[in-house]
């Protein structure tokens, strides 16, 4: 008589709990990364700092293009429209943060772009400049 592999409900629940806890631990480790540059440290790359201070829409458009979120020109124009710019800035910042496993929240991203947009754009550009797989060469 062949033996059957019978699992009782309690065994399945115990194994599922172990599995879920292992996943939670791994996902927290992945999202522990922080931004490569602090928000207000902008003077270490003087060229990028000047471009972003004078024309933040150019740097923002390049950031959007680099993460393949759409057209550089479209995002640059959206950056110039009041109130709409906060939505687009937050969207791109959240995509960059999610792509590189940087801890944070969408709400925090929204507050950052509303109150300190040029600094967040510069921080994103520096992050994209350092990460492997860049598809745009930044020359400034």
């Amino acid at each position: 008589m062949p033996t059957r592999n019978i699992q009782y409900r309690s065994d399945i629940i115990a194994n599922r709990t172990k599995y879920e806890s292992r996943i939670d631990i791994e996902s927290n480790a992945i999202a522990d990364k922080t931004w490569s540059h602090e928000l207000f440290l902008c003077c270490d790359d003087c060229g990028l700092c000047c471009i972003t201070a004078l024309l933040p829409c150019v740097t923002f458009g390049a950031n959007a293009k680099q993460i393949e979120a759409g057209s550089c020109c479209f995002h640059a124009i959206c950056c110039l429209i009041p109130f709409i710019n906060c939505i687009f800035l937050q969207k791109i910042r959240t995509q960059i943060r999610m792509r590189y496993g940087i801890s944070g929240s969408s709400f925090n991203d929204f507050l950052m772009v509303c109150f300190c947009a040029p600094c967040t754009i510069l921080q994103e550009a520096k992050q994209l400049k350092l990460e492997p797989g860049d598809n745009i060469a930044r020359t400034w």
Side-chain angles (χ1 to χ4, degrees):
M1 178 176 226
T3 60
R4 290 186 181 173
N5 237 352
I6 298 175
Q7 289 186 340
Y8 295 100
R9 189 174 193 289
S10 60
D11 292 339
I12 293 170
I13 291 172
N15 289 337
R16 189 186 72 196
T17 305
K18 288 177 188 175
Y19 179 73
E20 287 174 353
S21 64
R22 190 175 73 230
I23 295 296
D24 291 341
I25 291 168
E26 289 173 2
S27 64
N28 287 338
I30 291 171
D32 253 356
K33 194 173 175 185
T34 60
W35 292 94
S36 61
H37 289 80
E38 294 294 323
L39 187 63
F40 298 111
L41 293 178
C42 56
C43 295
D44 57 346
D45 189 345
C46 195
L48 185 59
C49 182
C50 290
I51 291 289
T52 306
L54 297 174
L55 297 167
C57 56
V58 172
T59 306
F60 177 66
N63 290 349
K65 176 78 171 162
Q66 192 166 355
I67 64 165
E68 299 170 352
S71 168
C72 177
C73 294
F74 173 75
H75 282 87
I77 291 169
C78 288
C79 186
L80 298 173
I81 303 170
F83 303 112
I84 300 291
N85 63 354
C86 288
I87 295 167
F88 280 92
L89 289 167
Q90 183 265 339
K91 180 184 136 194
I92 297 300
R93 184 170 179 85
T94 300
Q95 286 180 1
I96 292 170
R97 187 176 49 75
M98 298 293 280
R99 175 181 265 188
Y100 296 113
I102 299 170
S103 60
S105 67
S106 295
F107 182 71
N108 187 29
D109 293 340
F110 184 74
L111 290 176
M112 299 291 272
V113 300
C114 285
F115 294 107
C116 199
C119 295
T120 59
I121 294 170
L122 185 60
Q123 185 182 39
E124 295 161 12
K126 288 180 181 181
Q127 184 73 32
L128 292 171
K129 196 174 182 181
L130 289 177
E131 293 294 332
D134 294 345
N135 58 3
I136 291 180
R138 302 248 177 166
T139 55
W140 58 73

